[in-house]
Amino acid sequence: MKLFGTDGVRGKAGDFLDAITVLKLAKAAGIYFRKHSTTKKILVGKDTRRSGYMIENALVSGLTAVGYDVIQIGPMPTPAIAYLTESMRCDAGIMISASHNPYEDNGIKFFDNHGDKLNTECEKAIEAIFNDTELMQNEQVTGRNIGASKRIDDVIGRYIVSIKSSFPRDLNLTGMRIVLDCANGAAYKVGPTILQELGADVIVVNNKPDGFNINEDCGAMHPEHIGKIVREYRADIGLALDGDADRLVIIDEKGEVVDGDKLIGALCNYLNEQKLLKGNGCVATVMSNKALEDYLSSKGIELFRSNVGDKYVLEVMKEKGINFGGEQSGHIIFSDTAKTGDGLASALQVLALILKSGKKASEVLNPFELYPQILVNMKVTEKIPLEKIKGLDEILKPIREKGIRDLIRYSGTENKIRLLLEGKNKKDVEDSMETLKSFFKKVL
């Protein structure tokens, strides 16, 4: 059984992700982490989905069955689990969330004792244990070796302090009006608290989770809705989080959504000017617009690209000795502050940038113009390896000679091929995409 995808284990709760599967997965993960255990403790948090109760209890059963003590902390952002796992000296941390997906889905993300997401090799090792019935049976414990669980409700303060400490001490948010969309998700308590304690006038929306309304027509997936509220209340900025608060979308004072690549560019240049950028570089994914690369280059900053997924961004950041990177979708990583994408930590850096610049959000977060980019998803009957498709190189050669960047890849979860073309001349990009679409219609 294939379990892990691009970001942990994810699927429809009660179907692919049912109680039995989760219990087995917890046992397999516990057996894996036990090999290097120092504390025999694992931290478990979740977002606000109703199915989180089922999955949490199954995880506790599986982990205690192989000897682990479990600390349950209830609804908290994904980055909080990463931080608290290391802070509380746990062998591992587990977050129950399907991030920006609708409530019907749920997922399980694992963190090691340093608060880092597991790499592919670790995930494969857990999956191998999961599929080894004899090993799973033999590794169960009995008697006094069976683990225990306890719920702790006061750890929220630790995370709030850690996030607030990332905000410059010479600044505060007094006089700044902020609209915060919590997506009826995991940050519905911590988000407003952090901003209010720093002095902001906060208008909070979508902070009443009922187990089913997470991400529903709100949050980072639908930031246009709070654009109206920003204009109505004449706010300085809008902040839209997703269900587990690892993603941030910014809305400027005009009610316009700030492009993710422009946000990365503005933040990277800000860190560079503040002498806080390490490695003289930034990491973004293969999806980011080349205009970002050219903008950073004009500032003497090198852009490195990773595969799609914030854990891949972080891998390249570590490899290159860089402390800043992100995805255009809103996952932004300040590795000096957070172990993974953290919407609230990122928001504080955006607010610091605006305050230090003395400009409005629409000015400071619009540092360059994007190049025309077209993304097309096409259904396919078969995922033929790209290197085996005859004629593809011949089609791409004249496209590349026009200075157009191409990215062609299959979806990891659907029978689709994703075509991305980008260049300075809009008509060239449009014509090239029509050529490419016609080619793939014939061969796939």
Side-chain angles (χ1 to χ4, degrees):
M1 182 178 181
K2 179 79 170 67
L3 291 172
F4 287 90
T6 54
D7 193 12
V9 179
R10 190 177 297 184
K12 190 172 182 180
D15 184 5
F16 170 76
L17 210 58
D18 63 10
I20 300 301
T21 301
V22 174
L23 190 148
K24 283 184 61 183
L25 176 61
K27 287 173 64 177
I31 292 165
Y32 172 79
F33 289 120
R34 210 169 57 188
K35 296 175 184 175
H36 309 288
S37 175
T38 56
T39 65
K40 280 185 60 184
K41 294 189 300 182
I42 287 183
L43 187 75
V44 175
K46 60 182 179 180
D47 65 21
T48 55
R49 293 163 215 266
R50 172 69 67 87
S51 59
Y53 292 105
M54 172 193 74
I55 293 172
E56 182 180 28
N57 286 324
L59 282 173
V60 171
S61 293
L63 291 169
T64 54
V66 293
Y68 261 107
D69 292 336
V70 183
I71 301 171
Q72 299 162 260
I73 62 172
M76 287 285 280
T78 289
I81 305 306
Y83 166 75
L84 291 167
T85 296
E86 183 177 43
S87 172
M88 297 176 71
R89 305 294 195 272
C90 294
D91 288 341
I94 301 175
M95 176 65 180
I96 305 165
S97 176
S99 191
H100 59 278
N101 285 26
Y103 84 89
E104 296 94 342
D105 294 338
N106 216 324
I108 299 171
K109 303 178 186 182
F110 293 95
F111 297 89
D112 66 18
N113 62 326
H114 299 296
D116 294 323
K117 286 184 178 179
L118 300 190
N119 60 34
T120 305
E121 287 70 32
C122 296
E123 291 175 344
K124 285 180 179 177
I126 292 173
E127 203 159 308
I129 296 170
F130 178 93
N131 290 311
D132 190 334
T133 304
E134 186 177 350
L135 176 64
M136 292 271 280
Q137 182 65 35
N138 292 339
E139 291 294 328
Q140 288 188 150
V141 299
T142 58
R144 293 179 180 271
N145 292 322
I146 294 173
S149 71
K150 64 179 177 180
R151 187 173 295 276
I152 301 179
D153 297 318
D154 61 356
V155 295
I156 186 173
R158 296 195 194 194
Y159 178 62
I160 289 172
V161 169
S162 76
I163 296 300
K164 283 173 61 182
S165 67
S166 69
F167 192 68
R169 289 191 174 274
D170 60 329
L171 298 177
N172 63 67
L173 301 178
T174 302
M176 182 171 272
R177 180 172 290 176
I178 299 169
V179 177
L180 175 65
D181 187 339
C182 299
N184 293 312
Y188 76 101
K189 288 183 180 178
V190 297
T193 302
I194 289 169
L195 296 174
Q196 287 164 354
E197 287 188 4
L198 289 170
D201 174 13
V202 188
I203 295 117
V204 188
V205 297
N206 299 311
N207 63 329
K208 294 178 171 58
D210 62 10
F212 308 110
N213 59 1
I214 187 170
N215 298 315
E216 184 180 14
D217 207 26
C218 61
M221 301 307 291
H222 301 278
E224 65 279 358
H225 295 325
I226 69 165
K228 298 174 185 175
I229 301 172
V230 167
R231 292 193 299 271
E232 180 184 346
Y233 283 88
R234 297 181 181 178
D236 298 292
I237 196 169
L239 310 173
L241 304 170
D242 67 342
D244 66 339
D246 65 351
R247 183 184 299 206
L248 171 72
V249 174
I250 297 290
I251 298 86
D252 66 25
E253 82 285 353
K254 297 178 180 178
E256 300 293 328
V257 177
V258 175
D259 178 82
D261 281 333
K262 290 185 178 182
L263 183 63
I264 291 171
L267 287 169
C268 187
N269 187 51
Y270 163 70
L271 290 178
N272 194 42
E273 289 178 344
Q274 297 293 312
K275 311 295 184 190
L276 297 172
L277 186 67
K278 295 177 183 175
N280 197 40
C282 170
V283 180
T285 74
V286 291
M287 300 296 291
S288 278
N289 198 287
K290 193 174 186 298
L292 169 63
E293 187 174 342
D294 292 347
Y295 169 74
L296 293 177
S297 179
S298 73
K299 302 293 183 181
I301 301 168
E302 187 173 359
L303 179 71
F304 298 92
R305 292 184 183 267
S306 74
N307 290 328
V308 176
D310 61 338
K311 74 175 182 179
Y312 299 114
V313 172
L314 190 58
E315 283 178 8
V316 177
M317 287 170 61
K318 289 180 179 178
E319 178 189 330
K320 302 293 182 181
I322 292 169
N323 65 340
F324 177 73
E327 297 186 278
Q328 60 183 173
S329 61
H331 290 121
I332 301 172
I333 304 172
F334 295 86
S335 63
D336 290 343
T337 303
K339 296 287 186 177
T340 183
D342 189 322
L344 292 168
S346 300
L348 292 190
Q349 294 303 316
V350 172
L351 296 170
L353 161 59
I354 292 170
L355 289 171
K356 283 185 178 288
S357 72
K359 299 177 181 178
K360 294 182 181 296
S362 60
E363 298 174 75
V364 74
L365 301 180
N366 190 31
F368 58 87
E369 290 303 316
L370 299 169
Y371 298 153
Q373 186 184 82
I374 300 176
L375 175 63
V376 172
N377 294 315
M378 297 177 64
K379 289 185 178 180
V380 299
T381 54
E382 184 184 359
K383 294 181 180 180
I384 302 171
L386 296 178
E387 64 274 13
K388 294 185 178 179
I389 297 178
K390 292 181 180 179
L392 180 56
D393 288 341
E394 289 76 8
I395 287 287
L396 289 175
K397 185 178 179 183
I399 291 175
R400 291 169 176 170
E401 286 175 349
K402 293 177 185 176
I404 295 173
R405 186 174 78 92
D406 62 88
L407 176 65
I408 302 170
R409 64 190 184 95
Y410 290 110
S411 165
T413 57
E414 302 173 278
N415 279 341
K416 288 183 179 180
I417 189 166
R418 307 195 192 283
L419 313 176
L420 183 146
L421 292 180
E422 173 189 281
K424 294 182 180 180
N425 187 297
K426 185 178 180 181
K427 190 173 187 311
D428 282 347
V429 175
E430 290 173 343
D431 291 344
S432 298
M433 181 57 80
E434 289 303 316
T435 301
L436 207 56
K437 283 164 59 180
S438 297
F439 173 77
F440 279 110
K441 279 179 183 177
K442 293 176 183 176
V443 298
L444 295 179

